[in-house]
Amino acid sequence: MNPYVLMILLSSLGLGTTLTFASSHWLLAWMGLEINTLAITPLMAQHHHPRAVEATTKYFLTQATAAAMILFASTTNAWMTGEWSITDLSDPLANTMFMTALALKIGLAPMHFWMPEVLQGLDLLTGLILSTWQKLAPFALIIQTAQNIDPLLLTLLGVTSTLVGGWGGLNQTQLRKILAYSSIAHMGWMIIVIQYAPQLTLLALGTYIIMTSAAFLTLKMSLTTKVSTLATTWSKSPILTATTALVLLSLGGLPPLTGFMPKWLILQELTKQDLPIIATTMALAALISLYFYLRLCYAMTLTISPNTTNSTTPWRTQTTQASMPLALFTMATLGLLPMTPAILTLTT
Amino acid sequence: MAVSKTTLKTLLGVHGVIHRQTLLLPSTLRCSGILSTRSIHERDYRRPGQPPDTRWPWQKIRFDFSKGVEGIKKHIGLLKDEFVQRWTGPEGRPLIEHILEQTRVQWEFRGPESLNQWVVSSDQEIGGRSEAYIQLGKNNTTCLLYGTLCSTPPRDGETRYSGYCTLRSKQPLASFDRKKQYDWSSFNTLHMRIRGDGRPWMVNVSAETFFSHQRDDIYSYFLYTRGGPYWQDVKIPFSKFFLSSRGRIQDDQHVLWLDKVKSIGFTLGDKADGPFQLEIDFIGLCNDLAHTEEFAYELYKRNPEV
């Protein structure tokens, strides 16, 4: 892509999110969300492939619908209560509409149906931006308004998302769809605890961004998009295969990796709030997701084809991709669990 | 009384006109047996030179109770299968099979019901005189596509060229006639065993699209057959397929994505009048590890840097 155009699009992406972060008026927040949607649209469609254009169209339609619903919710609230401030969302209809719109924006179940198809049509880097950066602005709005939203709606969204994310990812063979369902499940974990401890939501979001970035960058480094190609990454780079397996287990939430931290703290918070059934359901739903992460690890590390491999093993030449971000995110994904006390002190 | 008689007559007259119009529609031509295998999605074709179908939607209904009961049983069975096969793995097979798979036979001809998955059409739809038929070959193990090409264009004032025939597979359907696609992403080569008569055919693969502008997008490649009694193994890598839409090769080429393939087809249109035959033993897929090319053609770049 033309470097000037790329610069404009990336800076618009940054601008949109920052605008939403910095806003206290609903119209400015909505504007930031729309700028994000419009800026990522050319990035998604740059490859002129019909599937990329299809993914762009589906993404644009869902995000525009969600943004329109947000505008409608804020206008309804302003009409009922006269307040445009984000933290003063008090009308119940506006609250519910707003939460539904934001659920559509970040891909919470049952508004998740666009996510796997959209991620499947994109290349890995754009998919990474979609899964990580595009979630920040909506979460900023959710965290600010979470106290006013119906707790039942939040709980339902959270539990449904983790269950759907688990079951939906079970029979997938395309890695981008697996990561889409993983995103849906993680969003569920973030939403379930927002009414009790918003700082845990931020922590979960932060660790999710780190782990997903590590996963996407690994797939980009080894140029794999299918499970069958993943099975031959051990010959391209054995160390990368080892770290990828650990990154996937971290996404699954296994100690002693970083991914365990948000799940542990969220379950602890739910138990403190006297909600053992919800905590058990979330833990069991996480097991379903863990099954498909483990299956990817199995395909990658514990299988060698009996005779010839199923995909071409390329020459192990020096890679031209930048490896620093991958190294950083991988280390963060694997090694941050001992820092839990420090993180808790800093955030609470 | 007189008013009601005239209205009755007008109504009858209208009905007669409509009835007459139905006789001219392609579905009631002498090749109706072949064309009625078309699905609902494929029936919107208007034959050039014919007036458009102006019947009301309720006049197009063909209602039958026994078919309804069979249909319900079939579709509920398919729906139950869909739920049950998820326990085994993607597409009803364990994941280990999907990882290890290197060849797959997608279409085989082992009985008369295998011919129901295919649609034959020729330029009789536009009023031409070519004929094309399919039947099972010897020992019910192959499919024989045969017929006669005639490139005389129909005299309807619109058509200039004629003389083609096509064999196309139907899109797989899930329960309640929902469209399904084939997932060929583990493979990179099309492998067919055919026996032709020396004519050049085109192999067309079509993928699932989103917009109606892309409805006629087809990825094609050539299939040169040798005559003679010996079978021919043809392996065409998917990277060689080029994009065309309604027969016109597109400038903006891109590679065929194999995770949502709709159907495959064979077309003959080599302007040579006379009889033709193509016998197909199987159509399969394989993974050629030596073939590392991603796409054989240059990607059209707008605004190239100079």
Side-chain angles (χ1 to χ4, degrees), chain A residues 48-51 53-54 57-58 117 120-122 167-168 170-174 176-177 226-228 231 295 298-299 303 305-312, chain B residues 85-90 95-96 98-102 183 185-186 208-211 214 217 219 252 254-257 259-260 287-292 302:
Chain A
H48 296 292
H49 192 279
R51 295 289 296 281
V53 174
E54 174 189 339
T57 312
K58 285 180 176 169
E117 287 300 321
Q120 175 66 10
L122 302 176
W167 272 316
L170 279 182
N171 265 335
Q172 302 295 337
T173 51
Q174 300 285 341
R176 285 166 289 183
K177 282 194 179 173
K226 307 191 292 271
V227 177
S228 48
R295 203 159 61 170
Y298 164 76
T303 52
S305 284
N307 39 15
T308 50
T309 53
N310 205 16
S311 64
T312 336
Chain B
Q85 78 189 17
R86 271 187 81 90
W87 290 103
T88 328
L95 186 73
I96 191 74
H98 177 93
I99 297 177
L100 288 177
E101 200 176 31
Q102 298 201 29
D183 180 10
S185 45
S186 334
E208 181 71 28
T209 55
F210 185 63
F211 298 102
Q214 298 156 344
D217 275 6
Y219 299 83
D252 191 5
H254 54 258
V255 72
L256 160 65
W257 275 31
D259 58 343
K260 281 195 174 162
N287 191 15
D288 186 2
L289 295 171
H291 186 82
T292 50
R302 269 154 278 203

Side-chain angles (χ1 to χ4, degrees), chain A residues 44-113:
Chain A
M44 290 166 69
Q46 61 184 315
H47 290 293
H48 296 292
H49 192 279
R51 295 289 296 281
V53 174
E54 174 189 339
T56 313
T57 312
K58 285 180 176 169
Y59 183 72
F60 178 75
L61 287 174
T62 48
Q63 300 290 305
T65 310
M69 275 167 73
I70 291 172
L71 196 59
F72 186 47
S74 55
T75 320
T76 310
N77 188 55
W79 179 40
M80 296 296 209
T81 61
E83 282 294 333
W84 280 103
S85 173
I86 292 179
T87 45
D88 288 339
L89 195 67
S90 47
D91 181 44
L93 171 67
N95 271 333
T96 315
M97 212 174 344
F98 167 74
M99 193 58 220
T100 320
L102 279 172
L104 177 58
K105 247 204 196 288
I106 56 178
L108 281 174
M111 276 75 75
H112 66 282
F113 292 97

